[in-house]
Amino acid sequence: MSQTALLSFFSLIWLMVLAVCAFLIIFVAPIHFIFLEDPYDRLIISFIQASLAVFTVIILVLALSKLKKMYLRRQLRIR
Amino acid sequence: MLNFNFLSDIILYGVVVSVVSFFSVLVLMPSLIKILTTKGEVVQDYHKAERPRIPRPAGPVLVAGIGIAEIILYMFTADLRVVAILLTSVIAFIIGYIDDKRVMPGWFKPSALVLAAIPLVVLGAHDSYLNLIFGTAYIPLLYIPLILIAVPVVGNTINSIDVLNGAVSGFVIITSIPLLISIAIFGDNTIFLSALPLFFVSLAFYKFHKYPSRIFPGDSGTLLLGAMYGSVAIAGSSEIVGVIALLPAVMNSFLFLSSVKRIVEHREVKSRPTILTEDYKLAASSEQGAPVTLLRLILTGGPLSEDSIVHQIFMLAAFSSILSFVSIFIQYYFLEMH
């Protein structure tokens, strides 16, 4: 039971990682097209991409934290 | 992807680096065990009834195995990326060795490991594109801070899974298989060859580290393996695949950090995540303030013996490796087919 629950927990985390990758590819990576002609494009693009990527990772960490609490409540019966 | 026009070179160099790294550890380790035992550089194995004294650290022999193999590979290829991977691994080994010899504060390893990442940046071992499973992102500037963060994170992640006899060596063996396959597909010949010693050194070391351990890796051994894992994943364009393979260890670090809320050594935490029962099995602690770790989660089903827990860790590593293989397949579909 414990092993099955852990495997489901890891599968869920894996799906969350894939979701973050998909978000970055669909929404963050194509940003450079907007600034194609700008002479400062490289710096601007990197700054915007970095900010969005960091924000996305923070959301992932918060979601993982929430998931961990839900899992622990079930498994360890911690309030 | 591997260039099969040079298939004979791949086979010849691959056999040489694999054999050299594997047999270096196999031949040198018994001597290191004798030397450390004679010098009294031993620690107690608390999870056994008789509390045997086990020599530590095995890092010097592991770094010798990796070092000799990478130097030979550099002589064959003259590729500076091999030097970058070697330097990263050696610096991580030195940081771990300092921690083995002196009691350092919790912040020491993560901060000092930033130094280990520098050769990868300076010698240009990285790409400007990050493979994100469903495509690639061009991040020439962002990639550099990412490397400086990734190497310390992976080094400490592998270090955190060194909890029981054979756990870290077996874990690295299992999780380096999807990494090697990913490097073969998304990396190139040289990086694939330079990653082989990671697998073969761990394989040879497992013979001495498996339950019941004859030697412990120490921080010098675990940081070396972790930093090398991170550096070949970066140089081989397999960062996310590597993270997925390491999920059990990543979650172990994440669970620990999010429960203690600061960077500390395990020895500095007052409440233990597990307790030792009278029949020398491990059980999950029921203390509310005890840190949450992978070990504690595994033990929620009831007390287990040390070798059963290690077996469960290997099962989790195998499962995350399967997830990693699925990710490789998805990435191959999106990058190569489209």
Side-chain angles (χ1 to χ4, degrees):
Chain A
M1 174 59 197
S2 165
Q3 186 83 349
T4 315
L6 258 180
L7 296 184
S8 315
F9 183 55
F10 283 125
S11 304
L12 214 54
I13 296 165
W14 175 63
L15 289 174
M16 286 161 74
V17 171
L18 289 191
V20 168
C21 287
F23 175 81
L24 292 175
I25 285 297
I26 295 166
F27 298 105
V28 181
I31 286 174
H32 66 272
F33 290 117
I34 302 168
F35 296 95
L36 218 53
E37 300 302 322
D38 195 314
Y40 302 105
D41 58 348
R42 221 172 140 187
L43 270 176
I44 296 166
I45 292 165
S46 286
F47 179 73
I48 294 171
Q49 286 178 326
S51 309
L52 282 170
V54 168
F55 180 72
T56 314
V57 171
I58 290 171
I59 298 284
L60 175 69
V61 170
L62 291 175
L64 280 177
S65 197
K66 188 91 182 156
L67 186 68
K68 179 205 82 176
K69 277 180 191 159
M70 283 163 60
Y71 181 84
L72 290 179
R73 264 187 212 141
R74 242 182 94 170
Q75 295 293 319
L76 295 174
R77 285 161 178 66
I78 289 175
R79 186 169 55 87
Chain B
M1 195 163 198
L2 287 183
N3 187 344
F4 290 109
N5 292 328
F6 300 98
L7 186 61
S8 57
D9 287 350
I10 296 172
I11 294 170
L12 174 69
Y13 301 166
V15 168
V16 171
V17 295
S18 305
V19 168
V20 166
S21 53
F22 183 80
F23 284 102
S24 301
V25 174
L26 214 59
V27 170
L28 295 174
M29 197 61 82
S31 308
L32 181 68
I33 292 172
K34 267 186 205 162
I35 293 167
L36 291 173
T37 310
T38 312
K39 287 170 78 176
E41 293 189 26
V42 291
V43 288
Q44 274 193 343
D45 189 344
Y46 287 100
H47 299 129
K48 294 185 181 63
E50 61 276 24
R51 297 211 167 176
R53 299 180 79 80
I54 309 295
R56 191 191 71 153
V61 164
L62 301 183
V63 80
I66 289 169
I68 297 166
E70 298 293 349
I71 289 167
I72 291 172
L73 183 63
Y74 178 69
M75 285 159 66
F76 281 142
T77 61
D79 191 327
L80 274 179
R81 293 174 305 165
V82 177
V83 179
I85 290 166
L86 175 61
L87 285 177
T88 296
S89 311
V90 172
I91 295 171
F93 159 76
I94 293 167
I95 292 163
Y97 197 73
I98 294 169
D99 207 49
D100 282 332
K101 295 292 168 188
R102 291 161 185 251
V103 179
M104 303 301 283
W107 55 263
F108 173 72
K109 280 184 283 184
S111 341
L113 277 174
V114 175
L115 289 175
I118 291 173
L120 293 174
V121 178
V122 174
L123 296 174
H126 61 93
D127 205 348
S128 294
Y129 288 89
L130 177 66
N131 281 343
L132 286 166
I133 309 293
F134 303 100
T136 57
Y138 180 61
I139 46 165
L141 295 177
L142 186 58
Y143 210 115
I144 292 164
L146 207 65
I147 292 170
L148 299 179
I149 295 168
V151 171
V153 168
V154 180
N156 280 290
T157 294
I158 295 289
N159 180 252
S160 77
I161 205 81
D162 180 28
V163 282
L164 297 169
N165 289 191
V168 72
S169 48
F171 186 83
V172 173
I173 292 168
I174 296 167
T175 55
S176 59
I177 295 168
L179 182 71
L180 281 169
I181 290 170
S182 178
I183 293 170
I185 297 171
F186 306 112
D188 59 40
N189 296 2
T190 309
I191 302 302
F192 174 75
L193 293 168
S194 66
L196 285 173
L198 175 70
F199 176 79
F200 283 98
V201 158
S202 306
L203 196 64
F205 177 51
Y206 184 71
K207 181 182 174 343
F208 304 95
H209 188 222
K210 70 182 178 193
Y211 180 90
S213 287
R214 290 165 59 196
I215 188 166
F216 290 151
D219 288 329
S220 56
T222 55
L223 292 187
L224 164 74
L225 295 177
M228 188 173 180
Y229 195 104
S231 60
V232 293
I234 289 165
S237 304
S238 302
E239 302 86 347
I240 305 296
V241 169
V243 168
I244 293 168
L246 294 181
L247 264 185
V250 172
M251 281 316 293
N252 184 44
S253 293
F254 175 75
L255 291 167
F256 181 77
L257 281 175
S258 70
S259 51
V260 298
K261 314 264 186 228
R262 63 204 162 101
I263 297 172
V264 286
E265 285 285 341
H266 283 253
R267 62 175 174 266
E268 294 173 48
V269 180
K270 284 176 186 163
S271 315
R272 308 299 302 168
T274 56
I275 49 167
L276 202 57
T277 61
E278 284 178 0
D279 56 350
Y280 285 91
K281 283 185 174 179
L282 281 161
S285 167
S286 54
E287 250 186 88
Q288 288 210 0
V292 181
T293 60
L294 183 68
L295 206 58
R296 197 175 171 201
L297 291 188
I298 289 172
L299 292 169
T300 52
L304 286 172
S305 62
E306 188 177 1
D307 51 339
S308 307
I309 300 168
V310 173
H311 180 72
Q312 293 231 19
I313 292 174
F314 291 169
M315 292 284 285
L316 290 175
F319 182 71
S320 64
S321 295
I322 291 168
L323 295 180
S324 205
F325 281 123
V326 177
S327 310
I328 291 170
F329 178 77
I330 298 171
Q331 187 160 291
Y332 182 77
Y333 177 79
F334 278 94
L335 296 188
E336 305 292 332
M337 311 290 265
H338 286 193

